[in-house]
Amino acid sequence: MLFMILAKDKADSLDLRMANRAAHLDYIKGAGNRIKVAGPILSGGDEPKPVGSMIIIDAASEGAVQLFCENDPYATAGLFESVEIKHWLKVTGDWVPKD
């Protein structure tokens, strides 16, 4: 099953995000092909900055995704204000395999 993770950073936490970025990226890469797409959510304006994260992950259950989220280095560092997990359905796009 596919799930979407939407994580919102705490206010004024860019330094915390950047300090933990390498560990977070290693963690994401360690999940292998379970990660379908991932990246930061950016603020508006002329100089956008990361203010959260969005990940599409293939997992057996919502509980497995919750565990994945809890062990993310960003989460263990206390970066996130909130994390939402939602079931997600692929429909179209260049990265969606043709059945």
Side-chain angles (χ1 to χ4, degrees):
M1 288 183 280
L2 293 174
F3 294 87
M4 176 179 56
I5 302 165
L6 287 175
K8 181 179 177 184
D9 295 358
K10 292 178 181 172
D12 301 316
S13 59
L14 184 58
D15 290 342
L16 180 60
R17 172 178 274 273
M18 299 315 292
N20 290 279
R21 185 172 186 266
H24 166 76
L25 291 176
D26 286 345
Y27 183 71
I28 294 295
K29 290 175 187 171
N33 66 358
R34 292 185 304 145
I35 302 298
K36 302 307 178 190
V37 66
I41 298 168
L42 302 177
S43 64
D46 292 335
E47 295 184 33
K49 304 279 189 262
V51 295
S53 297
M54 192 283 299
I55 300 169
I56 303 294
I57 186 171
D58 191 355
S61 67
E62 190 170 337
V65 178
Q66 182 66 41
L67 186 61
F68 177 84
C69 291
E70 290 170 1
N71 289 304
D72 184 326
Y74 279 165
T76 60
L79 175 63
F80 298 132
E81 175 180 297
S82 64
V83 176
E84 290 182 69
I85 299 169
K86 304 284 186 184
H87 286 272
W88 190 79
L89 178 65
K90 66 181 180 183
V91 175
T92 189
D94 290 342
W95 68 275
V96 176
K98 309 295 184 249
D99 291 330

